[in-house]
Amino acid sequence: MPLKKKRVSAFEVKCKETVIDKRTKNKHKSDKPKSKHVKVVDAINSLPKEKQIEYVKSGNKKKSRKSQKRKKSAKANSISPKAVAKTKQKSEQDDNGDTNISMVVIDDDNEESDIASDLVDIQAGEKTVDINRPEDNKSTDTDSMDSDVHRKHENIKKRKIGSLENDKTAVVKKKSKRDFNKDSEIQPSEKSIEESVDDRDDWTDIGRRLQSRAGYGDHFDSGQPSTHKSPIAIPVGDSVLVIASHPCVFPLKGVVTIQAVVGTASVMEYNLVPGSQGYDVYSPDCNSLVTVSTVKGVTKTKTAVNQVDSMLGINDKTVINLLKNSLNDSKPFVVLKFDKLKTTLCSFISNFHPYTNIFKVDGDKTLLNKQLLPLSVKMPGEDMDVPEISVSEQLQNVLDVWQENLIQQNEGVPVMLVCGGKDSGKSTSNRLLINSTLNRCKSVYYLECDIGQTEFTPPGVVSLVKVTTPVLGPPFTHQRKAVCSYHYGSVSPKDNADLYMRCVQLCVQEYKRVEQKTPLIVNTMGWMKGLGWQLLLDIVRLVSPSIMVQLMSYQVSQNVPPITVEDLEQTSWTELSKMFKGENIERKMERIPTFLSLEGPISTSYNFRMKPTDYRNLSILSHLGANLEPGLTLTSMTPFTVSWKDVAIHMCHVQVPKSQVMCALNANMVALCEGDITKAELYEDDGPLFLKKNKQPFRWIGYGLVRGIDMVKKKFYIVTSLSEEELARVNVLDIGGISLPENFLITQKGERIPYVDEIVKSKGLSAVKPRKHMPRKGLRGNNQ
């Protein structure tokens, strides 16, 4: 039986022909033009042996331009893990003295000019490489030649990259941008289960300022990374446990009550420790967002689970197992308990435009915020365009100096005075100072001298407040009763500087009478020039601060040079006022303060959509709506009736005819004050009492809204948040420049109000036509 001939493929025939050609050194090539790879190989083979080795050792250092086709097929042309392993094994053999030498061969995208320039440099001797390895024998065996040729044709077919058969050299594919680095290990194409569990979003970088927290010696480990994992939220009943991996800083938007369970965290420089009560945090988007930062982490999982269980009483084993796994995954960790904040303030303020959305919390697709949204709070991501409250390095130095004074008290009770131009960050700095003080002291006094942007009272009031709990939000969220407060009746002291200084003097005297080694923080106005500078000098002499901090504003025109001791010797307002029988304030100070002048702004400038008027309106609405029952409004509250004979009427800073005072008083906001009314006068029989312009300020108790005036029964109808005991002290209705917010008048529920909610046709609607460019007497020389 004849034997069948073995069928030989065209590829194998081609391989045998190539082998025969190489043995006889008779290279019968096809008539096709040579490719760039063959040209490079021929050019290198034509060089002397030493030049070939020099070229292999030096390599091609020039970067070639990538074609459009190469960019699209970069993924397809990447080197497989098997090829990487073979290449790595071959390079290791080369290091051990094997005969193969690896080099990178130029692919189709390289320019011929780059190849020619390299070859010319080698021939000219410009490129020199030290060769320490001896030359090997040129003879090769036939089997190795066959395998090399076969591998060559496979590479040409699959990768379209040329190969070079040589004693000293072996062809290696060119590396692309997506390929492995020369010294890196092979990375798996898919993430492992452990990596997918740990793959969380990076949060904000933790600041080194947390190392010097007062009362805690916990320091950061230098080996920890600069970023950390995002917190984990676990719902437990009506609460949510937030597990943060220490160190961690995350912002909040909305309102929430926070309580520390395990570890220590800080909110606006106030330390939350286990066992303490929960604190209300307000973080609306009309101000910089409040941030929570971890201070001291814990690593014992079993102890932490027991603490959480003892506080919340977890009976679900699934929740306990989830808690254990989350704690083990977040070491060291801090556990906080978030609860829904129960208050009517947010719903009351949200009834007024344009404050309807300041507490609104939008939905979020992240699992973390889905657990927090039922509490009306969330942790916004980096895409939210609202700044966060942070402590700069300059401000941290101020806090450190203040802590040292609280500990040592070498010069008596420490007093901090903060000054600076508008938008310099005085309010935020004062809140951080108050909170950091409460970490060491049970209470701190706060003297409010900025009557335009007040902290604990509505505007127009100079007050002294004793603070015993931290302030974790903007001013309208923590209105409080004052130790003493005096009504000035305007947002600027320019109307009556003597009355303003008298209010400050009375508050300072009250502090000196009641203080029992309790520190004092003084807030001043943003008016730093002219009359404002003279009033600042008087306040410094009255208070005698131990530390005086000067902040810098983004508005360069609001800044003044750093204050020195010589500046405090300048003439103040009270010295000028003595010539007109003004208030007499002593010039001598008890001590020379330590001056801390910051070189630049403490935070990034941000243009909020709300104006200073809006912040004042929010404080007024918060004051009037305090203790308001859910579902009620100010107009639905039962007013108090006050007889004309029990109170006297006084007008601040302006003169109004007595016949028109009732018109100015009706539907207006008045200051409910306590004062001496023995000198009050009657306008007519059975009429109201009036006080002339008073040089002494009245003691402020609160604000009220005059709902109506009964001219027959001789009574006032006043709506206020004050209690009956506080109203019993009121005997003066002081009318000043602080008016009811216009939003309160134009957003009432019910029928539309003519001339307020809608335009009503009238005879005078189009009677007066505007005339422009009319010359006026006394202006620009128009005196005719």
Side-chain angles (χ1 to χ4, degrees):
M1 183 177 180
L3 297 175
K4 293 183 180 181
K5 294 184 179 180
K6 184 179 179 181
R7 186 174 180 179
V8 182
S9 63
F11 179 77
E12 293 177 347
V13 173
K14 185 66 176 176
C15 291
K16 290 182 178 181
E17 291 178 356
T18 307
V19 171
I20 295 172
D21 291 342
K22 285 181 176 285
R23 289 175 181 175
T24 58
K25 297 184 180 180
N26 183 14
K27 301 177 182 179
H28 297 286
K29 301 290 183 178
S30 62
D31 297 332
K32 295 182 180 180
K34 294 182 179 181
S35 63
K36 294 181 181 180
H37 301 296
V38 179
K39 292 180 181 180
V40 174
V41 173
D42 293 341
I44 296 176
N45 288 332
S46 63
L47 295 174
K49 188 62 180 180
E50 296 178 357
K51 298 298 182 180
Q52 291 184 24
I53 297 176
E54 291 176 2
Y55 182 83
V56 170
K57 284 295 182 179
S58 62
N60 186 9
K61 301 298 183 179
K62 297 184 179 180
K63 293 183 178 180
S64 62
R65 298 191 302 270
K66 295 293 183 180
S67 63
Q68 191 68 21
K69 183 178 180 180
R70 181 64 175 174
K71 291 181 179 179
K72 292 181 180 179
S73 60
K75 184 176 181 180
N77 293 338
S78 60
I79 298 177
S80 62
K82 292 183 178 180
V84 174
K86 291 182 179 180
T87 305
K88 185 177 180 180
Q89 183 179 1
K90 186 175 293 185
S91 61
E92 291 176 355
Q93 292 176 359
D94 296 339
D95 295 337
N96 295 328
D98 204 355
T99 58
N100 294 327
I101 302 174
S102 301
M103 78 171 187
V104 178
V105 177
I106 305 171
D107 60 13
D108 295 336
D109 297 328
N110 285 333
E111 297 292 338
E112 294 183 1
S113 59
D114 296 338
I115 304 170
S117 61
D118 289 338
L119 295 177
V120 171
D121 293 340
I122 294 174
Q123 293 175 358
E126 295 179 3
K127 290 189 176 181
T128 59
V129 181
D130 294 333
I131 304 298
N132 297 323
R133 294 172 55 185
E135 294 184 5
D136 299 325
N137 193 355
K138 296 182 180 179
S139 62
T140 58
D141 109 13
T142 306
D143 296 335
S144 63
M145 181 66 71
D146 292 339
S147 60
D148 290 340
V149 172
H150 183 72
R151 183 167 57 254
K152 169 187 173 182
H153 285 280
E154 281 185 339
N155 292 335
I156 292 175
K157 183 178 179 181
K158 295 179 180 180
R159 304 297 306 275
K160 296 182 180 180
I161 299 179
S163 300
L164 176 62
E165 287 292 332
N166 195 285
D167 310 335
K168 307 291 185 179
T169 61
V171 177
V172 179
K173 302 168 188 177
K174 183 180 177 181
K175 305 171 187 178
S176 63
K177 291 183 178 179
R178 297 187 181 183
D179 291 335
F180 68 101
N181 294 328
K182 184 176 181 180
D183 298 328
S184 63
E185 296 182 357
I186 301 173
Q187 300 296 335
S189 58
E190 297 181 357
K191 296 179 180 179
S192 62
I193 297 176
E194 297 179 356
E195 289 176 341
S196 61
V197 171
D198 270 345
D199 189 14
R200 307 176 191 166
D201 297 333
D202 289 338
W203 219 255
T204 314
D205 290 341
I206 189 68
R208 294 295 176 183
R209 60 184 178 82
L210 297 180
Q211 295 183 6
S212 57
R213 292 286 188 186
Y216 296 94
D218 185 47
H219 295 276
F220 290 121
D221 187 1
S222 59
Q224 291 183 350
S226 60
T227 59
H228 54 272
K229 305 170 185 177
S230 63
I232 303 173
I234 302 177
V236 180
D238 296 332
S239 304
V240 175
L241 289 177
V242 176
I243 302 173
S245 180
H246 177 70
C248 179
V249 176
F250 54 88
L252 295 177
K253 183 183 185 300
V255 292
V256 68
T257 300
I258 303 179
Q259 184 177 6
V261 182
V262 179
T264 304
S266 174
V267 183
M268 293 185 66
E269 293 299 314
Y270 184 76
N271 292 331
L272 305 178
V273 297
S276 62
Q277 64 179 11
Y279 293 97
D280 298 339
V281 177
Y282 296 84
S283 184
D285 61 359
C286 60
N287 292 74
S288 298
L289 297 183
V290 176
T291 55
V292 181
S293 56
T294 61
V295 178
K296 185 177 182 181
V298 179
T299 58
K300 296 181 179 180
T301 302
K302 185 176 180 180
T303 304
V305 173
N306 293 335
Q307 291 179 357
V308 174
D309 190 23
S310 62
M311 175 178 290
L312 299 178
I314 304 175
N315 298 322
D316 192 348
K317 293 183 178 179
T318 305
V319 177
I320 294 178
N321 293 332
L322 178 60
L323 177 61
K324 290 180 180 179
N325 295 334
S326 301
L327 294 177
N328 290 328
D329 193 40
S330 304
K331 291 182 179 181
F333 50 79
V334 174
V335 182
L336 303 174
K337 185 169 76 75
F338 281 25
D339 293 303
K340 191 174 182 62
L341 194 151
K342 300 178 181 179
T343 178
T344 59
L345 173 65
C346 301
S347 57
F348 173 71
I349 290 180
S350 299
N351 292 328
F352 301 95
H353 181 77
Y355 317 126
T356 55
N357 295 325
I358 61 175
F359 290 109
K360 185 177 180 180
V361 181
D362 299 327
D364 199 309
K365 296 181 180 180
T366 61
L367 179 61
L368 173 65
N369 286 325
K370 283 182 180 179
Q371 309 295 345
L372 296 177
L373 285 176
L375 304 181
S376 300
V377 69
K378 74 173 185 178
M379 299 181 188
E382 298 178 355
D383 56 339
M384 190 168 185
D385 188 22
V386 176
E388 305 167 4
I389 296 177
S390 60
V391 181
S392 64
E393 184 178 356
Q394 299 182 85
L395 187 56
Q396 182 61 48
N397 294 333
V398 174
L399 295 174
D400 294 340
V401 174
W402 176 243
Q403 289 293 326
E404 293 177 0
N405 278 259
L406 292 175
I407 298 173
Q408 299 176 359
Q409 297 189 10
N410 295 329
E411 299 181 358
V413 180
V415 176
M416 168 77 78
L417 186 142
V418 181
C419 63
K422 296 180 181 179
D423 298 329
S424 59
K426 294 191 303 297
S427 298
T428 303
S429 301
N430 288 328
R431 293 175 207 140
L432 298 176
L433 285 168
I434 291 173
N435 294 336
S436 64
T437 305
L438 293 177
N439 288 330
R440 291 192 174 276
C441 307
K442 294 182 179 181
S443 61
V444 56
Y445 282 99
Y446 185 84
L447 177 59
E448 182 62 83
C449 299
D450 188 356
I451 53 180
Q453 298 294 332
T454 52
E455 188 70 29
F456 297 103
T457 62
V461 177
V462 178
S463 61
L464 176 67
V465 182
K466 186 177 182 180
V467 186
T468 56
T469 55
V471 287
L472 307 177
F476 68 92
T477 62
H478 49 251
Q479 298 289 292
R480 305 187 182 184
K481 302 295 182 182
V483 176
C484 68
S485 52
Y486 294 90
H487 185 241
Y488 174 76
S490 180
V491 297
S492 176
K494 64 181 180 180
D495 298 326
N496 193 339
D498 287 333
L499 181 64
Y500 170 78
M501 285 307 308
R502 181 57 179 165
C503 294
V504 176
Q505 187 178 27
L506 291 174
C507 288
V508 173
Q509 292 175 357
E510 185 73 14
Y511 167 74
K512 293 180 178 180
R513 182 167 56 253
V514 300
E515 70 90 7
Q516 297 177 354
K517 295 184 178 181
T518 304
L520 173 67
I521 297 175
V522 183
N523 184 34
T524 58
M525 302 177 296
W527 190 10
M528 295 285 291
K529 296 182 180 180
L531 177 60
W533 171 256
Q534 295 177 340
L535 294 175
L536 176 62
L537 296 179
D538 284 328
I539 294 175
V540 173
R541 293 168 185 172
L542 274 173
V543 175
S544 293
S546 56
I547 303 175
M548 189 170 176
V549 179
Q550 182 180 358
L551 305 180
M552 292 298 168
S553 173
Y554 284 96
Q555 303 180 23
V556 181
S557 59
Q558 301 293 333
N559 296 327
V560 297
I563 301 175
T564 61
V565 179
E566 290 74 15
D567 295 331
L568 299 181
E569 299 295 330
Q570 296 181 8
T571 303
S572 65
W573 166 255
T574 54
E575 292 177 330
L576 298 175
S577 182
K578 287 181 182 178
M579 297 184 292
F580 303 97
K581 299 181 180 180
E583 294 296 328
N584 185 12
I585 297 178
E586 296 182 1
R587 184 186 181 95
K588 184 179 179 181
M589 294 189 300
E590 297 178 359
R591 54 190 168 189
I592 302 299
T594 300
F595 296 94
L596 299 177
S597 180
L598 276 64
E599 298 178 356
I602 60 174
S603 61
T604 306
S605 178
Y606 187 86
N607 186 20
F608 289 99
R609 66 176 184 271
M610 298 180 66
K611 300 179 181 179
T613 305
D614 295 313
Y615 293 108
R616 288 193 286 266
N617 291 342
L618 286 172
S619 296
I620 294 173
L621 291 174
S622 176
H623 173 77
L624 293 176
N627 303 324
L628 198 64
E629 296 181 3
L632 291 180
T633 61
L634 291 178
T635 55
S636 62
M637 291 178 60
T638 303
F640 292 94
T641 58
V642 181
S643 176
W644 288 4
K645 296 181 180 180
D646 296 334
V647 294
I649 302 173
H650 179 262
M651 301 294 295
C652 294
H653 315 306
V654 293
Q655 294 293 335
V656 178
K658 294 181 180 180
S659 59
Q660 302 298 323
V661 170
M662 288 299 184
C663 297
L665 189 64
N666 192 22
N668 197 3
M669 192 175 70
V670 295
L672 307 177
C673 303
E674 179 184 7
D676 184 10
I677 61 173
T678 56
K679 297 182 179 180
E681 300 177 355
L682 288 172
Y683 174 63
E684 57 184 11
D685 295 340
D686 297 332
L689 297 172
F690 292 94
L691 283 171
K692 295 182 179 180
K693 189 175 181 180
N694 194 14
K695 293 184 179 180
Q696 294 296 324
F698 299 110
R699 199 178 186 97
W700 180 82
I701 300 176
Y703 279 123
L705 172 63
V706 180
R707 278 285 308 274
I709 302 175
D710 193 333
M711 302 298 292
V712 177
K713 296 182 180 180
K714 313 294 183 182
K715 292 183 178 181
F716 298 110
Y717 297 94
I718 300 176
V719 176
T720 180
S721 60
L722 299 180
S723 62
E724 294 183 2
E725 292 78 11
E726 292 172 325
L727 283 174
R729 299 165 47 195
V730 176
N731 59 0
V732 176
L733 302 182
D734 201 5
I735 308 174
I738 309 298
S739 59
L740 192 69
E742 60 181 10
N743 304 306
F744 181 82
L745 299 174
I746 64 178
T747 57
Q748 298 183 71
K749 296 181 179 179
E751 298 180 358
R752 298 182 65 83
I753 306 173
Y755 304 104
V756 177
D757 293 338
E758 58 185 354
I759 299 177
V760 181
K761 293 184 178 180
S762 63
K763 294 182 179 180
L765 183 61
S766 58
V768 179
K769 295 182 179 180
R771 298 179 63 185
K772 299 180 180 180
H773 306 294
M774 292 181 61
R776 299 182 181 182
K777 293 183 179 182
L779 295 177
R780 298 182 181 179
N782 298 319
N783 298 323
Q784 298 179 357

